Amino acid sequence: MGKLIVSLSPHAHGTDSVERNMYGVIIALIPALLVSFWFFGIGSAIVCATSVVACVVFEWAITKFILKREQNTVTDGSAILTGLLLGFNLPSNLPIWIIIIGALVAIGIGKMTFGGLGANLFNPALVGRCFLLVSFPAQMTSWPVAGQLGAYTDATTGATPLSVMKDAIKSGDASLLNQLPDSVSLLLGNAGTSGAGCLGEVCALALLAGLAFMLWKKIITWHIPVSIIGTVFVLSGLLHMCDAVYADPFTVIFSGGLMLGAIFMATDYVTSPMNNRGQLIYGVSIGLLTVVIRNWGAYPEGMSFAILIMNAFTPLINTYVKPKRFGEVVKK
């Protein structure tokens, strides 16, 4: 017979659980997933399905055969969510074997090496994505044109809006920015002649719909996504006013993986600060790093690296903004 543990009052009961929150985020990703199917067709389905299945299988296998735990965590939704987010960070024509390697790194190194859900220091999907970006740069930067795909492995490719912005900055030629789609096209979904980028960044409106759902269900708070997007918007606006070679702030925030990262990846419970003040510091720092890397770094996109860098600072931020214990005497 098990022991009954009785703790001191007051007792608070809530409906929150790991499963509820994980599957809630998955539901919030459905609009962006459907949009990716619309623009990329079979390529999107293959990439997402491969990523999800591989992440679930690797988590089950590592838990059962390496960690040898009786209770397996594949049903809590975290592996499915990692697979979806990893797939959202990949081009729609990426070979299946590369996707499987990314899933192994995301689950095996990014998550289970630290002990599993709740113990990982870095966002697992971003660990997998950055590993693939460094290991397979050619395949990871070949961007199919949304809405103009041929076969899965024979897609028409083009330069992404972020690549165009980077070329304009490097050359000092502001006229290159005329190649960019307008802000409305980026918001609703770019089906033009430029490369659309990763699966999850093709339509900002679908990602904002997911944000609205998660705020409504109180899965996340506004502090991280708003502070990231707001910081990038303000800094990009200042740069644009100083020099026309920098794109306008609306184009910047609707381009690349900014919305995807700010809404779905930087808000990861485990790797982000615990309280609101820490989340604001975290979000502003990610926004600042993203602007710096995008404009002056080696890669056109800086969101993934910015989030991983700030993941490492999360324990320090939690220590800095730790609230006073109840009853603690405050020194004058």
Side-chain angles (χ1 to χ4, degrees):
M1 184 175 180
K3 293 181 179 180
L4 177 63
I5 300 175
V6 180
S7 60
L8 297 175
S9 61
H11 303 285
H13 299 275
T15 58
D16 258 357
S17 66
V18 172
E19 291 81 2
R20 174 187 177 275
N21 291 328
M22 292 298 168
Y23 286 109
V25 178
I26 291 170
I27 292 172
L29 284 168
I30 290 177
L33 182 64
L34 295 177
V35 169
S36 74
F37 290 165
W38 174 262
F39 282 114
F40 296 111
I42 189 65
S44 175
I46 291 173
V47 170
C48 289
T50 303
S51 181
V52 170
V53 171
C55 284
V56 171
V57 169
F58 284 134
E59 178 156 330
W60 172 82
I62 292 171
T63 302
K64 183 175 180 62
F65 297 111
I66 298 179
L67 299 181
K68 297 182 179 179
R69 295 175 180 171
E70 294 183 3
Q71 184 178 5
N72 212 298
T73 57
V74 294
T75 59
D76 63 15
S78 62
I80 298 174
L81 179 58
T82 298
L84 268 179
L85 290 176
L86 176 61
F88 271 33
N89 278 276
L90 304 176
S92 63
N93 61 345
L94 195 66
I96 290 176
W97 63 274
I98 295 182
I99 302 171
I100 294 174
I101 291 174
L104 177 60
V105 172
I107 296 296
I109 298 177
K111 183 178 181 181
M112 304 308 290
T113 296
F114 294 92
L117 181 65
N120 51 288
L121 179 61
F122 301 100
N123 185 291
L126 286 180
V127 172
R129 195 253 179 177
C130 289
F131 175 85
L132 294 182
L133 185 60
V134 173
S135 303
F136 307 100
Q139 294 91 334
M140 284 290 291
T141 54
S142 176
W143 308 111
V145 175
Q148 297 186 11
L149 294 184
Y152 165 62
T153 57
D154 188 28
T156 304
T157 58
T160 63
L162 290 181
S163 298
V164 174
M165 295 180 200
K166 177 70 78 173
D167 291 340
I169 295 171
K170 285 183 177 179
S171 64
D173 185 3
S175 65
L176 294 177
L177 297 178
N178 295 331
Q179 303 173 27
L180 294 172
D182 60 87
S183 300
V184 176
S185 296
L186 293 171
L187 175 66
L188 300 179
N190 171 31
T193 58
S194 63
C198 299
L199 296 181
E201 60 188 46
V202 68
C203 178
L205 185 61
L207 298 171
L208 290 172
L211 172 62
F213 175 81
M214 290 195 293
L215 291 175
W216 173 50
K217 289 294 186 179
K218 297 182 180 179
I219 297 173
I220 64 171
T221 63
W222 61 267
H223 301 83
I224 292 176
V226 170
S227 59
I228 293 174
I229 297 170
T231 300
V232 174
F233 185 89
V234 171
L235 294 178
S236 299
L238 293 174
L239 289 172
H240 181 67
M241 287 190 295
C242 294
D243 193 337
V245 76
Y246 297 101
D248 68 90
F250 286 102
T251 300
V252 171
I253 64 172
F254 293 149
S255 298
L258 179 69
M259 289 289 181
L260 177 63
I263 297 170
F264 291 101
M265 310 197 80
T267 53
D268 175 46
Y269 295 123
V270 181
T271 59
S272 60
M274 293 183 293
N275 62 35
N276 295 341
R277 189 156 64 101
Q279 290 172 2
L280 290 174
I281 296 171
Y282 174 80
V284 170
S285 300
I286 290 175
L288 175 62
L289 287 171
T290 300
V291 171
V292 171
I293 296 172
R294 278 188 173 189
N295 291 313
W296 302 290
Y299 289 98
E301 178 62 272
M303 193 66 193
S304 298
F305 296 105
I307 294 174
L308 288 177
I309 290 170
M310 291 312 301
N311 284 167
F313 279 94
T314 292
L316 187 61
I317 295 174
N318 283 332
T319 301
Y320 175 69
V321 298
K322 184 167 58 177
K324 298 290 184 183
R325 292 191 300 271
F326 182 75
E328 180 179 352
V329 177
V330 180
K331 295 180 180 180
K332 294 184 180 180

